[in-house]
Amino acid sequence: DLLNCNQGRKLHGMSNANADIGYADNSDEWRCSSTTVMGAVLLSMGLSALATGPLWYLSSIKYGKRTTWLLSSVLMLVSVFLFLAIGKGDVDAAIFLAAVPGAVLGNFYLSDAILADIIEYEEYLSGQRAEATFIMAKSAIGKLLAIPAAALPLALLESYGYQSSEGGSFPV
């Protein structure tokens, strides 16, 4: 049973105090607050990352850092597309599916471990340490990729049916 919080009509079981904001008098009213739902989604991701961190560590020992990192990258790519399966108002699915990319984020340490190996190997080959160069490059590449990662979704919002609110109310 999906909630429809933004229709502007009184729902069955609503008191007059809650009629203006569209909350029903039940325990599901938190589902109509985007801030609360986002908090629940982020909590699901965080707990999943904490729970799977040791599993990623064991995987990197058994299969190697490179293989584990490649596997986690593929899983992250797949998990992003899982969010397309979430329908409007399907808060439970959003919270449940948020655990999948959260589980992938449990290996956040792995890229730094691989970078440390690269720095050591570069020293072995050249006889000189170049930590600053590698760390600066990692930071710069991340920042350069963040620009299109933030701009492209904003540019595509309207083509996917986004309607901006005017005065705090949505068109019906």
Side-chain angles (χ1 to χ4, degrees):
D1 188 31
L2 302 178
L3 295 176
N4 200 350
C5 301
N6 292 324
Q7 290 300 312
R9 295 192 228 41
K10 284 188 177 182
L11 298 175
H12 179 69
M14 291 182 67
S15 67
N16 288 336
N18 288 334
D20 294 333
I21 55 175
Y23 288 167
D25 287 333
N26 60 30
S27 63
D28 286 338
E29 75 179 42
W30 68 271
R31 294 167 184 266
C32 291
S33 167
S34 59
T35 304
T36 309
V37 171
M38 182 57 81
V41 166
L42 292 174
L43 180 66
S44 173
M45 289 179 78
L47 292 176
S48 178
L50 284 173
T52 59
L55 299 176
W56 287 112
Y57 174 72
L58 292 174
S59 175
S60 68
I61 291 172
K62 184 171 183 176
Y63 301 109
K65 292 176 190 174
R66 179 181 181 273
T67 304
T68 302
W69 183 80
L70 289 173
L71 174 66
S72 69
S73 296
V74 169
L75 287 175
M76 181 57 92
L77 177 68
V78 171
S79 71
V80 169
F81 289 104
L82 287 177
F83 284 112
L84 296 175
I86 300 171
K88 182 178 180 180
D90 198 358
V91 175
D92 292 334
I95 293 170
F96 177 74
L97 290 177
V100 178
V104 177
L105 292 176
N107 77 344
F108 68 93
Y109 67 91
L110 200 52
S111 63
D112 290 334
I114 292 172
L115 181 60
D117 291 345
I118 292 170
I119 291 169
E120 291 294 322
Y121 188 66
E122 174 63 22
E123 180 186 17
Y124 172 75
L125 292 177
S126 69
Q128 298 177 350
R129 299 214 29 114
E131 296 95 339
T133 304
F134 285 104
I135 292 172
M136 185 276 311
K138 180 184 176 199
S139 175
I141 290 169
K143 290 175 183 172
L144 289 173
L145 291 176
I147 295 168
L152 287 177
L154 292 174
L156 295 174
L157 278 176
E158 189 175 343
S159 65
Y160 282 96
Y162 174 77
Q163 296 175 353
S164 64
S165 66
E166 294 180 21
S169 63
F170 289 93
V172 179

